[in-house]
Amino acid sequence: MKRKVAIIGGGQTVHASRRHDVNQGEMVNEAVRAALADGRMTMDDIDAVLLGNMEFFEGCHLTDCWLADATGAYGKPGLKITTGGTVGATTIVAGAHHIASGLFDRVLCIGFEKQEEGDSSAILSGVAHPLYGRSLAGAAVGYFAMMGASYMQAFGAREEHSAMVAVKARQNARKNPYAHLKLDITIQDVFDSKMLAYPIRLLDMCPTSNGACAMILADEKTARERCEKPVWIRATETAHNEQFELNWRDVTNTRPIFSRVCAEKLYKKLGVENPATFFDVFEVYEPATWAELVWYEDLGLCKRGEGFHLIEEGQTEINGPIPVNPSGGVLSTNCIGASAMLRIWEAALQIRNDAGEHQVPKDINWALTTAYGGTNWTVMTALSKKWEDS
Amino acid sequence: MEIEFVNIPMVVDVPYRFAAGSYMARFLIELRDNGKFFGIQCPSCGRVQMPPRIVCAACHIKNGEWIELSPTGTLMGFSIVHLPLTDPTTGLPHKTPYTYGIVRLDGAYSTIEHFIDVEPDIQKVRVGMRVRAILRPREERTGDLNDILHFAPIGEA
Ligand SMILES: [Zn+2]
C-alpha cells in the first residue's frame, strides 16, 4: 500500500439474539460512540464513513443513506459495502485503501446486522442461482455438513473433534463480555444437541445475532500523533471462487480453492514461511465447527488432513501455541455484517493487549484474520504491533 | 416502570422473472426434452463445466464445445438433513430426514447438488459411491433442476 494505515480505535455492541430496545440506527450508534471514545475522537475528526451489512437482511436498502445520522455520515463522503459474510472485512479493506491512496486520513468503518428484524434464511436463499440449485439450497448448514462428512471420511476425524471446536469457542466466549453464546458446555452437551444436518448439530453452528462493530482507521501521521497503541494493517488479500463450482466441500479437492489461494498470496506479500509461528493469534471466520478445522489446513497451520490433531492436542486453545479465536469466534457471535470486522477488531485488541479476560497470555506482535463470503470467497488481513519489526 | 417495545410486522412479497440466458436455456431444454446432461468445454484448460456458461472463469475465454455427459457419476460429499429447510421456490419445507449430496458426473469438472435416493442412515451412504441421475417422466419435466428426481446408487441394493 502507498501509505501506511493503522487501526486507531474501535468498539462493539454487546451481541444478542434480541435487541428490541433499539432500532438499527440506535444499535449502530452504540458501536460508533464506542469507537470514537476508544479513539478519543469526535465526528469532526472523521473524513469519511463506510458502512457494511448484508443486502436486505433487515428489509431496507441504502442503509448508508437512512442511517446517516447514527453512523455520523451526515455531510461527509461515504460508501455502502455489501459482500456477504466478508462485508465487515471488505469495509476495512476499502477504508484502508482510501487512506493508503492519500484520499482520506481518517475513516470510520462500520459493520452491523440486526438479524431479528428479517428472515435471514429466506434472503440467503437468494444466494443460490434461481434456475440452478435454489430449490434445493441447503442453507449454510447443508454446505458445512457436506464439508464435515467429507472431512471425516477423508481424514479419519470423528464427530468429537468438531465438538471440541464447539466447546473451545463457547468456553472462550465466556471470557468475552460482548459475546452472544457464553456457554459452559462439554463435548457431551454438543452430542446431546439437536442434529440439524449430519454431522452438524445445533451446537456445531453459529447463532443468529444482532450487533455492530465500528473501527477508525488512520494514516501514519494521525496514528503516531493521536494513538498510543496503533495497530498496523500490514496486508490484505481477497480471493473468489468461480460461480457454480462449490466442490471445495469435497475436502480432498486439490484445485486452487479461494481460501488456499488467498493465504498463499497474503503470505507471499509478507514473506511468511511458517504461518503457525509467524502469527501469534488467529481470528478465523467459522460459522460451523468443521470450518475451523478446514481453516487450520487452508491457512497452512498444519498439513492437509491433520487439522483435527491441532484441536485434539489443545494447540489452538487461548493458552496453546497457535491460539485460534480467543474471542469465541463466529460460533459464539454471528451478527453477519459485523462478524468479519469483529475478527479484525478482536485481533487488534489482542495486539493492543486490551482483550481483557480473553487476552492470549503471550506477547502478540502479529495477527491474521479471515472471513467467508457466501462460503465461496474470503478476505484476509494481517495486523502487526510495530511497523519496523519485519 | 415496564418498557413497551414497539415492533411493526411487515411482509415483502416480490415477484421475479429470471432470464435463463442462451447457455442455461439450452442446458435446461436438453434436460427437459431429451433427458440429457450437457457440459461445455474450455478450449484452453479443457475443463468440462456444468451448467454450461459463457466464460471459463480460470482462463477468462469463451467456452467452446458442448459435451454430452453421462447421467452417471460419483458422490463427492453428502449430508443427512434433519432440519425442515424450506424450498425457496415453493415456500414448502422438504420432508425430513433426507439424504443430500454433491455428485460429479463422469467426464465433468463440475459437481451438482441433489437428493440422493439412499435411506437417511450414515451407514448406507459414503463418499465415492457410484450414482445415476433418475429423471422425472417427460410429461412432468418443466426445464428445471427438479426434472431430476434424485441420484440413485448403482449396483448397490
Ligand atoms: Zn479454461
Side-chain angles (χ1 to χ4, degrees), chain A residues 61-311:
Chain A
H61 289 300
L62 306 179
T63 45
D64 54 328
C65 174
W66 68 272
L67 298 183
D69 303 5
T71 62
Y74 171 66
K76 295 183 194 294
L79 285 175
K80 158 78 181 291
I81 292 177
T82 181
T83 65
T86 45
V87 62
T90 308
T91 306
I92 294 294
V93 170
H97 286 175
H98 276 88
I99 292 166
S101 72
L103 187 61
F104 302 127
D105 290 338
R106 299 147 189 188
V107 175
L108 174 64
C109 300
I110 307 160
F112 85 95
E113 213 70 71
K114 201 150 187 279
Q115 289 207 61
E116 68 184 342
E117 302 208 349
D119 183 339
S120 301
S121 303
I123 303 296
L124 271 181
S125 69
V127 173
H129 192 287
L131 304 173
Y132 198 84
R134 186 175 292 182
S135 64
L136 293 163
V141 61
Y143 301 152
F144 290 114
M146 286 196 272
M147 180 195 261
S150 154
Y151 189 94
M152 281 194 290
Q153 192 177 320
F155 303 133
R158 298 183 306 274
E159 289 171 56
E160 65 190 87
H161 293 110
S162 66
M164 287 174 194
V165 177
V167 170
K168 173 174 77 70
R170 280 48 173 269
Q171 292 292 352
N172 287 351
R174 291 177 70 210
K175 303 183 173 83
N176 176 359
Y178 297 100
H180 179 178
L181 294 185
K182 303 183 195 73
L183 305 176
D184 186 10
I185 54 166
T186 63
I187 288 175
Q188 192 57 47
D189 293 325
V190 181
F191 285 165
D192 291 343
S193 69
K194 192 176 169 221
M195 184 66 86
L196 303 178
Y198 173 85
I200 304 261
R201 295 179 173 84
L202 186 64
L203 285 171
D204 284 306
M205 282 303 289
C206 59
T208 301
S209 315
N210 301 304
C213 181
M215 291 170 66
I216 301 166
L217 309 186
D219 67 306
E220 183 178 12
K221 185 166 175 289
T222 306
R224 295 205 192 275
E225 280 173 10
R226 302 195 52 154
C227 182
E228 281 171 25
K229 294 190 273 189
V231 174
W232 302 97
I233 299 179
R234 301 301 295 272
T236 70
E237 193 61 63
T238 300
H240 284 79
N241 244 358
E242 54 186 314
Q243 196 191 3
F244 297 116
E245 305 303 338
L246 299 171
N247 51 6
W248 53 266
R249 292 166 211 165
D250 162 20
V251 296
T252 59
N253 205 309
T254 53
R255 77 181 182 85
I257 286 168
F258 64 101
S259 42
R260 298 175 210 157
V261 168
C262 195
E264 195 179 310
K265 283 183 168 175
L266 188 93
Y267 296 166
K268 200 171 169 192
K269 278 182 182 172
L270 295 169
V272 176
E273 281 173 12
N274 182 355
T277 54
F278 186 95
F279 295 100
D280 304 302
V281 67
F282 296 82
E283 277 284 339
V284 303
Y285 200 101
E286 25 64 289
T289 47
W290 294 99
E292 179 163 323
L293 300 179
V294 172
W295 272 125
Y296 296 167
E297 300 177 12
D298 287 354
L299 290 174
L301 306 183
C302 60
K303 288 188 190 138
R304 181 140 302 280
E306 295 183 358
F308 66 102
H309 294 307
L310 291 191
I311 190 79

Side-chain angles (χ1 to χ4, degrees), chain B:
Chain B
M1 195 182 78
E2 198 171 308
I3 301 169
E4 182 192 1
F5 297 132
V6 179
N7 296 286
I8 313 296
M10 193 176 293
V11 174
V12 180
D13 194 349
V14 189
Y16 290 93
R17 177 171 292 274
F18 296 103
S22 57
Y23 289 80
M24 184 70 84
R26 181 170 162 191
F27 171 81
L28 293 173
I29 290 167
E30 283 287 353
L31 180 63
R32 182 190 66 194
D33 295 352
N34 306 315
K36 288 181 174 173
F37 291 96
F38 275 87
I40 197 162
Q41 189 166 32
C42 169
S44 174
C45 68
R47 297 187 309 158
V48 178
Q49 297 155 50
M50 188 185 86
R53 64 205 73 163
I54 184 166
V55 163
C56 170
C59 307
H60 206 74
I61 56 171
K62 226 170 168 181
N63 276 320
E65 198 184 344
W66 285 69
I67 309 276
E68 186 183 343
L69 293 163
S70 153
T72 58
T74 304
L75 189 65
M76 307 305 291
F78 69 88
S79 173
I80 293 165
V81 181
H82 296 264
L83 195 66
L85 294 166
T86 303
D87 175 347
T89 61
T90 63
L92 301 171
H94 294 298
K95 194 168 170 288
T96 59
Y98 60 90
T99 309
Y100 181 70
I102 41 176
V103 173
R104 186 190 306 284
L105 291 184
D106 297 335
Y109 172 84
S110 311
T111 51
I112 181 170
E113 295 179 18
H114 220 287
F115 297 118
I116 311 296
D117 184 28
V118 180
E119 213 180 302
D121 174 352
I122 55 164
Q123 305 304 325
K124 307 222 162 126
V125 56
R126 60 176 176 81
V127 175
M129 197 176 210
R130 296 286 297 156
V131 292
R132 172 189 298 276
I134 306 298
L135 303 185
R136 292 181 193 279
R138 172 65 192 89
E139 61 276 14
E140 286 178 22
R141 300 206 290 260
T142 60
D144 181 277
L145 273 201
N146 285 320
D147 290 351
I148 306 168
L149 191 60
H150 52 238
F151 283 84
I154 301 172
E156 300 185 34

